[in-house]
Amino acid sequence: MVVVPPPPAPGWPPVSTTSSLPPVITATAQWLTRAYPASGGALQRALAEAQAHQAATVAAWLRYPTRMDAELAALTGARGSDALDWAAGADDGLPLPGPSDGAHDADPPAPAEDAEAWRTWVDEAVASWAACLLARPDLASAAVDAVAGTEHAGAVPVGFRRLTSPTEGDTAAAALLRHPDLLEPVARLHRDGLLERLGRRPAEA
């Protein structure tokens, strides 16, 4: 059972005992679910969040396959969500409009600094690779196979069934999150790097 991480809160980023990737994965998954929100209630949101988190996890492990890679990425810093916001059509930095059941309308507003701090942890390349995996089940399966031998996979055993073999309920909950046309502007930002990592040429993709 996949545990969906909670939204970022004061004290961000969370402490990791395995690598520097968890805050990047959490922030990138959150960006995906805000840009391509689920339709429906809490269950649908949870299913979409699980798929986004699995996609971001596989993408991050593939992008930074060793602990050293992850630590170097942490030192240089993630690129943030600015280019992604622009590519997805939210260049003002706000989440894209999407279906909502109003469940969060009564939530108290968070301080602006805390509310936006998570965006600095979004990794542009990881988000782009995750978008590719969500749009292409064949790439998702190849990526999961590729990360099986990484240091991260050995340290933190995780399953990726919702990413590689989604049920009808998963697919319905993530209709926007898995829509190839909607994902294309983000997916194409770093698709060539993903294909190279998977040993594929663009013409073969």
Side-chain angles (χ1 to χ4, degrees), residues 43-168:
L43 175 60
Q44 286 70 35
R45 285 197 303 274
L47 290 175
E49 288 166 2
Q51 293 172 74
H53 193 264
Q54 289 187 10
T57 299
V58 173
W61 288 3
L62 194 60
R63 175 79 172 174
Y64 308 110
T66 69
R67 185 185 298 272
M68 181 64 70
D69 292 328
E71 295 300 332
L72 289 175
L75 287 175
T76 58
R79 300 181 65 175
S81 66
D82 289 348
L84 295 169
D85 292 334
W86 181 85
D91 55 0
D92 56 1
L94 298 175
L96 291 176
S100 173
D101 62 357
H104 299 291
D105 292 348
D107 289 350
E113 183 177 349
D114 289 338
E116 296 303 312
W118 66 274
R119 290 183 175 277
T120 64
W121 285 89
V122 176
D123 188 298
E124 179 184 314
V126 171
S128 178
W129 287 18
C132 292
L133 304 184
L134 287 162
R136 292 273 304 274
D138 61 317
L139 289 183
S141 295
V144 168
D145 289 342
V147 301
T150 66
E151 294 177 7
H152 310 296
V156 187
V158 177
F160 300 104
R161 181 193 61 76
R162 293 195 189 279
L163 174 63
T164 58
S165 302
T167 65
E168 290 185 6

